[in-house]
C-alpha cells in the first residue's frame, strides 16, 4: 500500500489528558486534607517559582525512524523501545533484506555465512540478544591454521592444539605472551562500556565515548598504525609481519596500516571460544525488530529535511521529513527523532540532507571493498607448496602483505545449521570461504582449487578503510538526528554496532528529556566504583 506523503505543516497529535486525580474532584472535597498554614504555603509557592518543572516531564516523541535494518538498526529499535516505552511509533526503513552485512549464501542446499560470521565470548550485548530471543548457538571450531607469505608457510599450527603455544614461543619468543597481556588490558578498559550503559550513561561523540573507556591511551592508539603501536610496545617486526598483519588482512582486508585500536581489538579474535548463531547471525536482526514491535518499511531513503509544526505547548516544534523510494514510488513521512544506522556515503546510504542550518557535513570516509567467495571443492595443496595432499591438513590459511597474493585468507566454512562442529567433512565436499579485495577470476579459481562443483560470490563494502590518525564523523547531526556508524572507525563488528545503537538510543532519550547529567560525564569509572 502506498504511504501518503506528509507535507510540511501542522500535524494532529493526541490531546493531552490530565492524569487521574490531577485536580479537585466534586464530592471528594471532604476527604482532602486542610490547606497548609499561610507561611508554609508561601514557602511552597516560592520554591515552585525558583524550581520550574523539570524538562524530563516533556511528552515523549510520537514517532521515531531508524534508517537501516542491519544489526545496528535492529539493536537501535530494540533499545529505543526499552527507553521510550510502548507509546512511541517505531519505523525501520530498510532498502533490502533485514540483516545488512549479516547475510547467508546457499551452497548445495545448505546456508553459509557470507558476512559477519563469528562473535567473541566477551560480546555481552550479542549474548544478551541471543538469550532474550531464544536463539541457539554453535561454537566455532578451532582450525589448524597456516600463515603464508606467497612462497612458504612462515608458521604452521599443529592439529594437536596443545603444541601450538610452545611452537609460537619457539618462533616468536615472548611476543605471543606479551600480546595476550597487551590485548587483555585494552579489552578490560573497553568492557567498561557495559557498566556505563547499564547505568544509563551516554556520550555525544565517539571520541568522548572512547576517551571515557581508555583515556589518552585509546586516543593515542587511534593516532598510530597497529604497526607503529606494537613496535612502540616492544613487539618484534617479525611477529607483526607474520602474525598481526595476516590477522588484519583476514579481519578487515587491510594490513599493518590500520589504526592501533582497530588492530588491538582485532587480535582478540584469534582467541578461542568464538561462536555464531545457529541458522545464521542475521536471525538476531529480525528477532530484535520483532521484539521492538517496530514496523519495517521496505524503501530506500532519499532525503531528510527539518520541518516545523505546532507543538502541544503552542510553540513550534521540530520534526524531520524523511522521503524514501518504495516499489510504489516516492513517498515519505515525518518523525520526531531519526537514527541513521547505515553507512553514509555515495556508494552506500546516499542520503541528501536538505535545508539544514548549518549544513550536514560530507562523509568522505570510504569503505573497503571485499569479495566473499564460497567454493565447494578441493583446495589445491600444490599452490601452497605442498606436493603431498595427504600432508596438507590446514583448515584456515592467512596471508602476509604481498602484492603478488590475490587472496587475503581461505578457510573451511561450516554450514549455519551444522551442530556437529567436530565432524570432519570429506575434502571433496568442503565449502571454503575466500576473502579477496578483488573478484577472483576463473584462472585464479583454477589455481587455488584442483576441482570445484559450486561457486557463490558476495561483494561487500564491508568495513571502513582504516588509517591513522583516525577521524570520526559526528554522532549528533542535528537536534534529534543521529548517526550510529561512526563508531565503526574504532572497530567494525556486530558488537560495536550494538554498543553504538545503545549509546545512540540513550543519548536520544536523555537529550529529548533534558537529562544532561547522564551525558558526557567525566571519570565515570572512578565515580561508579565509589557508588558500590
Amino acid at each position: 500500500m502506498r504511504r501518503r506523503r506528509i507535507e510540511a505543516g501542522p500535524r494532529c497529535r493526541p490531546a493531552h489528558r490530565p492524569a487521574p486525580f490531577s485536580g479537585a474532584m466534586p464530592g471528594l472535597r471532604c476527604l482532602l486534607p486542610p490547606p497548609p498554614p499561610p507561611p508554609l504555603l508561601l514557602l511552597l509557592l516560592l520554591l515552585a517559582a525558583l524550581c520550574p518543572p523539570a524538562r524530563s516531564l516533556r511528552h515523549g516523541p510520537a514517532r521515531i525512524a531508524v534508517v537501516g535494518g542491519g544489526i545496528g538498526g535492529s539493536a537501535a529499535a530494540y533499545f529505543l523501545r526499552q527507553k521510550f516505552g510502548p507509546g512511541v511509533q517505531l519505523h525501520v526503513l530498510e532498502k533490502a533484506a533485514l540483516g545488512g552485512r549479516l547475510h547467508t549464501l546457499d551452497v548445495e542446499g545448505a546456508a553459509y555465512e557470507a558476512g559477519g560470521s563469528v562473535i567473541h565470548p566477551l560480546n555481552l550485548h550479542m549474548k544478551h540478544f541471543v538469550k532474550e530471543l531464544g536463539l541457539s548457538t554453535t561454537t566455532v571450531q578451532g582450525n589448524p591454521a597456516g600463515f603464508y607469505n606467497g612462497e612458504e608457510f612462515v608458521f604452521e599450527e599443529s592439529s594437536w592444539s596443545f603444541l601450538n603455544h610452545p611452537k609460537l614461543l619457539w618462533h616468536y619468543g615472548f611476543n605471543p605472551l606479551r600480546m595476550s597481556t597487551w590485548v587483555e588490558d585494552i579489552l578490560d578498559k573497553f568492557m567498561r562500556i557495559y557498566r556505563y550503559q547499564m547505568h544509563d550513561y551516554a556520550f555525544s561523540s565517539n571520541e568522548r565515548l572512547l576517551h571515557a573507556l581508555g583515556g589518552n591511551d585509546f586516543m593515542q592508539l587511534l593516532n598510530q598504525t597497529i604497526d607503529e603501536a606494537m613496535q612502540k610496545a616492544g613487539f618484534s617486526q617479525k611477529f607483526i609481519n607474520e602474525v598481526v598483519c595476516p590477522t588484519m588482512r583476514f579481519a578487515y582486508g587491510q594490513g599493518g596500516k590500520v589504526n592501533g585500536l582497530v588492530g588491538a581489538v582485532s587480535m582478540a579474535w584469534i582467541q578461542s571460544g568464538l561462536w555464531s548463531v545457529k541458522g545464521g547471525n542475521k536471525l538476531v536482526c529480525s528477532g530484535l525488530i520483532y521484539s521492538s514491535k517496530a514496523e519495517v518499511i521496505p524503501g530506500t531513503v532519499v532525503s531528510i529535511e527539518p520541518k516545523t509544526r505546532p507543538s502541544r505547548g503552542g510553540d513550534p516544534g521540530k520534526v524531520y521529513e524523511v522521503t524514501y523510494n518504495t516499489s510504489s514510488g516516492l513517498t515519505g513521512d515525518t518523525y520526531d527523532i531519526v537514527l541513521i544506522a547505515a553507512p553514509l556515503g555515495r556508494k552506500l546510504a546516499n542520503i541528501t540532507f536538505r535545508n539544514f542550518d548549518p549544513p550536514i557535513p560530507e562523509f568522505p570516509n570510504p569503505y573497503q571493498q571485499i569479495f566473499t567467495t564460497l567454493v565447494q571443492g578441493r583446495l589445491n595443496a600444490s599452490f601452497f607448496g605442498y606436493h603431498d595432499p595427504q600432508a596438507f591438513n590446514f583448515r584456515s590459511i592467512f596471508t602476509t602483505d604481498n602484492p603478488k597474493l590475490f587472496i587475503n585468507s581461505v578457510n573451511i566454512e561450516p554450514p549455519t545449521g551444522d551442530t556437529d562442529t567436530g565432524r570432519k567433512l570429506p575434502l571433496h565436499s568442503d565449502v571454503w570461504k575466500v576473502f579477496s579485495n578483488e573478484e577472483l577470476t576463473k584462472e585464479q579459481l583454477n589455481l587455488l582449487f584442483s576441482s570445484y562443483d559450486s561457486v557463490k560470490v558476495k561483494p561487500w563494502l564491508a568495513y571502513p578503510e582504516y588509517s591513522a590518525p583516525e577521524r570520526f564523523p559526528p554522532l549528533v547531526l542535528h537536534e534529534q538526528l543521529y548517526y550510529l556508524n561512526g563508531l565503526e572507525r574504532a572497530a567494525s563488528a556486530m558488537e560495536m554496532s550494538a554498543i553504538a545503537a545503545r549509546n545512540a538510543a540513550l543519548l536520544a532519550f536523555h537529550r529529548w528529556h533534558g537529562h544532561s547529567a547522564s551525558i558526557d560525564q567525566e571519570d565515570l569509572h572512578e565515580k561508579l566504583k565509589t557508588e558500590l
Side-chain angles (χ1 to χ4, degrees):
M1 183 178 68
R2 180 185 174 94
R3 238 172 224 285
R4 181 175 62 86
R5 180 176 180 121
I6 296 184
E7 303 293 341
R11 179 179 170 192
C12 296
R13 300 182 72 169
H16 172 59
R17 296 180 180 178
F21 302 100
S22 61
M25 299 190 65
L28 295 180
R29 187 176 299 277
C30 60
L31 299 179
L32 297 176
L40 181 57
L41 180 60
L42 290 174
L43 179 61
L44 292 175
L45 290 173
L46 179 61
L47 288 174
L50 295 175
C51 304
R55 192 176 167 220
S56 61
L57 297 178
R58 174 183 178 182
H59 293 287
R63 311 177 79 207
I64 300 177
V66 177
V67 180
I71 186 62
S74 58
Y78 175 84
F79 290 127
L80 286 166
R81 179 64 73 198
Q82 282 189 335
K83 291 308 300 178
F84 286 100
V88 65
Q89 187 176 13
L90 276 176
H91 286 172
V92 174
L93 303 164
E94 172 54 57
K95 64 182 180 181
L98 293 178
R101 284 170 280 175
L102 305 183
H103 184 75
T104 58
L105 288 176
D106 183 270
V107 178
E108 300 297 326
Y112 295 82
E113 294 286 4
S117 300
V118 294
I119 304 165
H120 194 275
L122 294 180
N123 289 173
L124 301 189
H125 283 323
M126 292 300 295
K127 289 175 73 172
H128 169 74
F129 294 157
V130 167
K131 182 178 179 181
E132 180 83 2
L133 299 173
L135 298 172
S136 300
T137 64
T138 180
T139 302
V140 176
Q141 181 182 2
N143 298 331
F147 293 77
Y148 184 68
N149 68 2
E151 297 178 358
E152 62 180 353
F153 283 93
V154 293
F155 181 77
E156 301 180 12
E157 283 190 337
S158 170
S159 55
W160 300 90
S161 58
F162 67 90
L163 294 177
N164 289 325
H165 285 294
K167 288 187 70 174
L168 278 168
L169 294 174
W170 177 259
H171 277 76
Y172 302 109
F174 289 106
N175 282 273
L177 295 177
R178 187 182 296 121
M179 187 191 72
S180 295
T181 304
W182 189 66
V183 171
E184 185 177 341
D185 177 64
I186 292 169
L187 289 181
D188 283 346
K189 292 175 181 176
F190 199 89
M191 293 286 288
R192 295 172 182 174
I193 189 61
Y194 299 110
R195 195 159 179 231
Y196 298 168
Q197 293 187 337
M198 182 181 68
H199 285 82
D200 267 11
Y201 287 106
F203 302 92
S204 63
S205 71
N206 298 302
E207 291 90 343
R208 286 181 178 271
L209 185 154
L210 293 170
H211 191 271
L213 300 179
N216 292 331
D217 291 344
F218 276 18
M219 296 298 103
Q220 187 173 4
L221 285 171
L222 289 166
N223 290 325
Q224 298 175 308
T225 66
I226 185 62
D227 192 312
E228 293 167 343
M230 295 192 75
Q231 283 190 53
K232 188 174 181 179
F235 293 92
S236 72
Q237 193 65 56
K238 175 181 173 67
F239 181 73
I240 295 170
N241 292 342
E242 295 182 359
V243 176
V244 177
C245 287
T247 304
M248 300 303 106
R249 286 168 59 82
F250 166 70
Y252 293 119
Q254 300 159 71
K257 301 305 180 185
V258 302
N259 73 68
L261 187 58
V262 167
V265 172
S266 300
M267 294 308 296
W269 297 96
I270 64 176
Q271 299 177 0
S272 60
L274 302 178
W275 56 280
S276 60
V277 178
K278 185 180 177 183
N281 295 325
K282 64 182 181 181
L283 295 179
V284 175
C285 299
S286 55
L288 289 174
I289 290 177
Y290 177 82
S291 177
S292 74
K293 296 181 172 59
E295 179 185 353
V296 178
I297 299 176
T300 301
V301 174
V302 176
S303 66
I304 300 175
E305 183 176 2
K307 298 286 184 179
T308 58
R309 69 175 182 203
S311 67
R312 295 177 182 178
D315 297 327
K318 292 283 182 67
V319 293
Y320 298 98
E321 183 175 81
V322 179
T323 303
Y324 48 91
N325 211 354
T326 70
S327 58
S328 302
L330 203 63
T331 185
D333 217 330
T334 56
Y335 301 92
D336 299 294
I337 298 174
V338 177
L339 273 68
I340 300 174
L344 287 172
R346 293 178 181 176
K347 294 182 178 179
L348 298 155
N350 189 12
I351 299 172
T352 300
F353 297 96
R354 301 187 187 279
N355 299 321
F356 281 88
D357 185 20
I360 303 297
E362 293 288 329
F363 295 85
N365 299 330
Y367 272 62
Q368 175 71 44
Q369 177 79 71
I370 288 292
F371 289 86
T372 299
T373 306
L374 296 177
V375 182
Q376 184 184 36
R378 187 189 298 271
L379 201 65
N380 182 11
S382 64
F383 177 81
F384 297 98
Y386 270 73
H387 300 292
D388 180 8
Q390 299 300 320
F392 187 83
N393 64 347
F394 298 115
R395 295 174 67 84
S396 295
I397 297 171
F398 307 104
T399 62
T400 64
D401 278 335
N402 184 338
K404 295 180 180 179
L405 286 168
F406 55 83
I407 63 169
N408 296 332
S409 63
V410 56
N411 65 274
I412 293 179
E413 184 72 11
T416 61
D418 184 18
T419 56
D420 184 10
T421 56
R423 180 167 57 94
K424 176 73 174 178
L425 295 173
L427 281 176
H428 68 272
S429 62
D430 282 336
V431 172
W432 296 84
K433 177 189 285 184
V434 185
F435 286 146
S436 59
N437 290 353
E438 296 181 1
E439 186 170 3
L440 300 179
T441 65
K442 188 172 182 180
E443 292 75 13
Q444 290 170 337
L445 282 170
N446 290 334
L447 285 173
L448 197 55
F449 293 90
S450 56
S451 63
Y452 54 88
D453 300 316
S454 177
V455 178
K456 293 290 179 70
V457 182
K458 177 66 179 179
W460 294 107
L461 287 170
Y463 15 68
E465 286 184 10
Y466 293 109
S467 61
E470 201 68 70
R471 295 291 179 264
F472 292 91
L475 196 162
V476 181
L477 301 182
H478 196 249
E479 293 177 15
Q480 295 297 334
L481 177 63
Y482 303 90
Y483 178 46
L484 275 63
N485 289 67
L487 192 58
E488 277 194 291
R489 303 206 71 82
S492 181
M494 287 175 263
E495 188 70 6
M496 293 297 286
S497 295
I499 288 170
R502 187 165 190 183
N503 180 65
L506 288 170
L507 183 63
F509 178 81
H510 294 321
R511 293 182 82 242
W512 182 270
H513 290 292
H515 300 163
S516 58
S518 296
I519 302 173
D520 294 336
Q521 290 297 305
E522 298 289 338
D523 301 320
L524 273 179
H525 182 59
E526 296 301 322
K527 183 183 295 186
L528 292 177
K529 282 200 300 187
T530 60
E531 290 181 4
L532 290 176

